[in-house]
Amino acid sequence: MSTFAAVMTGKGTGAISTVAVFGDSAEAIIKKIFKLAGTKPAILKAGKILLGTISDGCETIDHVTIGCEGTNNFAINCHGNPLIVEMIMELLQRQGARLVTAEELLAKTLRAEKPIDTIALEAQLTQARARTIEGAKISANQIEGGLSKTAREWLENIDTKTAEQIAAEAGQILEASQTARLIIFGCKAVIAGPPNSGKSTLLNCLCGRQKAIVTDIKGTTRDWVAARCRMETLSVELIDTAGLDEKLATTPKDTIKKAAQQKAIQILEEADLVLLVLDNSETCNPLDERLLEKIAGKKVLTVLNKSDLPARFDVGKLPEELAEMVQISAKLGTGIENLTEKIRQVCGVAGFDLKTAVCITGRQEGLLEQLKAAKSREQMVSIITELLNGRLSV
Ligand SMILES: Nc1nc2c(ncn2[C@@H]2O[C@H](COP(=O)(O)OP(=O)(O)OP(=O)(O)O)[C@@H](O)[C@H]2O)c(=O)[nH]1
Ligand SMILES: [Mg+2]
């Protein structure tokens, strides 16, 4: 093993940043670049926190504390200016440390502490990136239980279980994983619909501030506007898009409106959930063909807005796939609690058991897909072994 260094704190300016140094020569490198405050030489004993300076030759880079976390395992806590962090990283590199990502370094330290399977390692790393506490819990539950336990049980019982049984269990895990991923990594909800239906008003209402411009002019929103909000266990990135109207998309000369239309359609492709906002006070809510095409097969919730105005829209005309509906007035803020509850239901997160075995990385999902299709026991053993001991993908 060689020596590795990584910035463990987030990008940008903060009060402090932490740089981890781990590996064979970590102690030797720290001894070269760190000078203890006072006159005594530094004794880098595990469990100690030392105050001093990091220097490049006779030039002081920063006043820091060094956490001696274990043998050849140190945390340099420096000031949070990215320029200072960059100088320390460059110095460490010149001293022979290999610069890696925080995840890679964490994986190396965890593996050095005790033998750990790849699923458990991926779960520990994902835990740090979860957007909600519940998401962090789902990840934590995969370490000893969850997918890690299921995979070990599959191997133990490989002679008694049929390929069909394992395929069915893998299928269930893959299905639950879709919901788990929304809780762990958050949900991208695109607000779409015809012009003037109240999409921007809804965005502002859900995120609690005037983020998007609202006017009574059709085609107000051009570029998309995004805001993040919490709906209990769900962290939702809301994206307000330009009102979709086939006429606007084909208007000659109006390049900006055309571009806005294209962007809105493109954003729909990335949506985990589509909030289709319609105007209850209009007899006609034109449903753009491109919109219907893009939302086919997606989670869709129809939001019938402007419920404070007399009802003119005949909801019976809507196609079957848009029947899941909730009525609100984004302007008055009525029906919003019901809407957020419906969003959680449509996403399947309401009542989700955090102990369920799930995949939390693309690597795991890919292997479970292969397992579903595996025919022989040898194939199944090889896939499950890869699942437990393969290369890390986080
Ligand atoms: N009465 C009533 N008016 C609303 C409601 N929601 C939005 N409006 C009004 O409808 C008009 C259009 O609202 P926007 O939020 O800009 O609509 P939009 O869908 O974003 O429009 P585009 O960006 O042009 O596609 C504004 O005058 C809003 O004040 C509502 O619940 N009730
Ligand atoms: Mg708008």
Side-chain angles (χ1 to χ4, degrees):
M1 186 173 60
S2 41
T3 303
F4 306 92
V7 184
M8 304 308 282
T9 37
K11 283 202 177 87
T13 306
I16 56 161
S17 285
T18 300
V19 171
V21 188
F22 174 71
D24 296 339
S25 321
E27 185 170 338
I29 292 176
I30 295 290
K31 275 189 170 155
K32 271 196 212 161
I33 64 171
F34 176 70
K35 188 172 174 301
L36 189 70
T39 49
K40 289 185 184 156
I43 299 169
L44 303 169
K45 204 170 145 211
K48 287 234 168 199
I49 296 176
L50 307 171
L51 178 71
T53 50
I54 293 280
S55 306
D56 185 0
C58 51
E59 188 192 339
T60 300
I61 296 179
D62 195 19
H63 292 264
V64 302
T65 61
I66 299 256
C68 307
E69 304 203 335
T71 314
N72 275 319
N73 186 2
F74 300 94
I76 305 173
N77 301 304
C78 60
H79 289 93
N81 182 334
L83 296 170
I84 293 176
V85 176
E86 204 181 304
M87 280 165 80
I88 293 175
M89 292 303 280
E90 202 209 309
L91 176 62
L92 288 166
Q93 193 174 29
R94 267 192 279 122
Q95 295 297 329
R98 188 148 76 78
L99 307 191
V100 293
T101 62
E103 279 84 7
E104 281 171 306
L105 193 127
L106 205 55
K108 288 181 195 303
T109 52
L110 289 171
R111 276 218 152 118
E113 272 169 23
K114 62 171 183 175
I116 179 169
D117 69 55
T118 311
I119 299 172
L121 202 49
E122 285 169 341
Q124 292 221 20
L125 298 178
T126 304
Q127 221 183 327
R129 292 194 295 133
R131 286 214 172 263
T132 56
I133 293 289
E134 293 76 10
K137 282 185 186 161
I138 292 175
S139 301
N141 288 336
Q142 310 306 311
I143 298 173
E144 308 233 310
L147 185 62
S148 181
K149 186 169 172 225
T150 306
R152 279 181 268 120
E153 282 174 358
W154 277 337
L155 278 187
E156 278 161 25
N157 303 318
I158 201 77
D159 293 326
T160 49
K161 283 209 168 193
T162 64
E164 288 73 24
Q165 277 172 324
I166 292 188
E169 285 173 27
Q172 271 171 13
I173 292 174
L174 282 166
E175 206 173 303
S177 306
Q178 289 187 16
T179 307
R181 272 180 167 261
L182 293 179
I183 301 175
I184 299 171
F185 301 111
C187 162
K188 195 176 254 193
V190 173
I191 306 177
N196 235 24
S197 59
K199 300 178 294 299
S200 301
T201 310
L202 176 60
L203 176 101
N204 292 345
C205 175
L206 285 171
C207 76
R209 60 205 151 107
Q210 299 305 306
K211 178 101 191 188
I213 299 172
V214 169
T215 76
D216 56 4
I217 303 163
K218 283 187 181 182
T220 299
T221 304
R222 302 279 179 94
D223 220 342
W224 52 274
V225 182
R228 192 166 278 283
C229 74
R230 261 308 277 278
M231 295 176 190
E232 292 184 42
T233 52
L234 202 57
S235 166
V236 184
E237 187 189 10
L238 292 160
I239 306 177
D240 175 29
T241 56
L244 287 167
D245 182 336
E246 273 159 70
K247 274 189 235 123
L248 290 178
T250 50
T251 315
K253 290 193 195 148
D254 204 335
T255 324
I256 302 175
K257 278 190 184 142
K258 261 194 208 167
Q261 295 280 303
Q262 275 166 10
K263 190 75 201 167
I265 292 287
Q266 193 189 330
I267 288 174
L268 270 174
E269 275 173 24
E270 300 154 17
D272 296 310
L273 167 73
V274 178
L275 297 176
L276 176 66
V277 181
L278 302 178
D279 186 340
N280 163 67
S281 68
E282 290 284 336
T283 44
C284 177
N285 271 284
L287 287 176
D288 195 299
E289 276 298 320
R290 299 163 303 163
L291 172 86
L292 293 175
E293 219 173 85
K294 289 287 172 210
I295 63 179
K298 284 198 184 288
K299 295 184 195 328
V300 183
L301 182 58
T302 303
V303 182
L304 197 58
N305 188 31
K306 308 196 188 181
S307 63
D308 54 302
L309 299 177
R312 292 206 186 89
F313 182 62
D314 179 4
V315 289
K317 281 190 202 155
L318 284 173
E320 205 182 316
E321 61 271 24
L322 302 180
E324 189 81 55
M325 186 178 310
V326 58
Q327 288 210 25
I328 64 156
S329 166
K331 192 172 180 175
L332 303 183
T334 48
I336 298 300
E337 248 177 58
N338 190 19
L339 169 66
T340 55
E341 194 42 46
K342 262 274 162 47
I343 289 176
R344 287 170 39 74
Q345 273 171 24
V346 171
C347 288
V349 302
F352 186 81
D353 179 0
L354 306 182
K355 292 209 169 90
T356 311
V358 290
C359 298
I360 53 175
T361 66
R363 182 192 79 89
Q364 297 171 2
E365 277 174 355
L367 286 166
L368 256 67
E369 287 292 355
Q370 286 180 31
L371 191 59
K372 260 172 67 181
K375 296 280 176 282
S376 69
R377 283 207 200 288
E378 291 71 37
Q379 244 183 325
M380 290 196 293
V381 169
S382 139
I383 295 166
I384 301 165
T385 309
E386 177 69 18
L387 188 63
L388 283 164
N389 303 321
R391 272 195 69 183
L392 195 71
S393 77
V394 177

